[in-house]
Amino acid sequence: MDFSRFIQYIASGTAYTLGVTLIALPSGLLIGLVLAFVAVYGGKLAGKIMDVYSTVLRGIPPIVLLFILYFMMSGAINLSPFWAGSISLGIISSAYQLEIFRGAILSVSGEQMMAARAVGMSKIQAIRYVVLPQMIRLAIPSWSNEAAIVIKDSSLVYAIGVPEILRRAQLISASTQEPFLAYITAALIYFALVFITNRVLGRVERKLTIPANP
């Protein structure tokens, strides 16, 4: 067996893993951020609707949701497994990011919103210039954890045929009868991706941390 080709084949699935992540994470961020502001500032009914959205999506196993969303989208708009899987993971992640951003928004004192309105800012301006900058800083630690989770959850798209890292490891395992080496290789690649992501986001977090008063 040519182990270098064996490992190279599995590693080549990294492009698909990164592609899924780079679609799912930002789409989940966009949806989650908008829904978080709706939940906090949209009134009681909007808040309850967001609660239902979050509770349902977080209460169903991701692999089950992936299949449901994949078959819904594939049947309705004929998306490829890669795009359907990526968007599905983005929708799943949005429920978790909704809670991350909602918690961060609520951590910003309501008195600051009142003060901003008192000096003549509109509600939108107060959100943009007062709440949003502080919310981003507060959300980064939890959002970094969600980024790592999305990288790992990208492995779920193997179930719908996307040839990412885990799918390739599975194929190598079946063809070579070397499951241990195949899955250890996949595990090390996932670990490296998560480690690098955590280090990068850790630096961003430290740069944006509000300095403590001396």
Side-chain angles (χ1 to χ4, degrees):
M1 185 190 310
D2 187 339
F3 287 103
S4 63
R5 293 183 63 185
F6 173 105
I7 294 172
Q8 183 179 6
Y9 178 75
I10 296 175
S12 63
T14 303
Y16 285 93
T17 294
L18 290 175
V20 170
T21 302
L22 291 175
I23 294 170
L25 190 60
S27 60
L29 184 153
L30 180 60
I31 297 170
L33 186 60
V34 171
L35 295 184
F37 278 108
V38 171
V40 175
Y41 297 113
K44 290 185 179 180
L45 178 59
K48 289 180 179 179
I49 293 172
M50 294 305 102
D51 286 341
V52 172
Y53 177 89
S54 173
T55 301
V56 170
L57 264 66
R58 291 185 299 121
I60 299 173
I63 188 67
V64 177
L65 280 173
L66 176 65
F67 279 122
I68 292 172
L69 294 170
Y70 167 66
F71 287 116
M72 284 176 59
M73 285 188 285
S74 296
I77 51 180
N78 195 30
L79 287 177
S80 69
F82 172 81
W83 279 101
S86 301
I87 295 170
S88 296
L89 288 180
I91 293 171
I92 294 167
S93 178
S94 72
Y96 295 88
Q97 296 195 52
L98 160 60
E99 296 302 333
I100 291 170
F101 295 132
R102 173 156 54 181
I105 293 168
L106 292 174
S107 296
V108 179
S109 172
E111 294 176 356
Q112 296 188 47
M113 171 65 81
M114 294 173 62
R117 298 299 302 277
V119 299
M121 287 187 179
S122 67
K123 192 171 186 179
I124 297 298
Q125 288 175 323
I127 291 172
R128 179 179 177 184
Y129 295 111
V130 178
V131 177
L132 186 60
Q134 297 181 74
M135 181 275 293
I136 291 173
R137 289 182 169 187
L138 293 169
I140 285 177
S142 297
W143 192 84
S144 298
N145 291 333
E146 178 62 17
I149 290 170
V150 172
I151 292 173
K152 292 183 286 186
D153 281 355
S154 69
S155 62
L156 297 176
V157 299
Y158 92 94
I160 56 176
V162 179
E164 46 71 67
I165 295 168
L166 182 58
R167 179 64 172 168
R168 289 171 183 259
Q170 185 183 47
L171 293 173
I172 286 291
S173 172
S175 63
T176 65
Q177 302 301 310
E178 291 284 352
F180 182 78
L181 183 57
Y183 291 117
I184 281 293
T185 300
L188 290 174
I189 297 172
Y190 283 119
F191 175 81
L193 294 175
V194 170
F195 180 80
I196 292 169
T197 299
N198 285 341
R199 292 297 295 271
V200 170
L201 291 177
R203 289 191 175 188
V204 173
E205 179 185 347
R206 287 191 293 273
K207 282 191 175 184
L208 294 180
T209 297
I210 300 173
N213 292 325

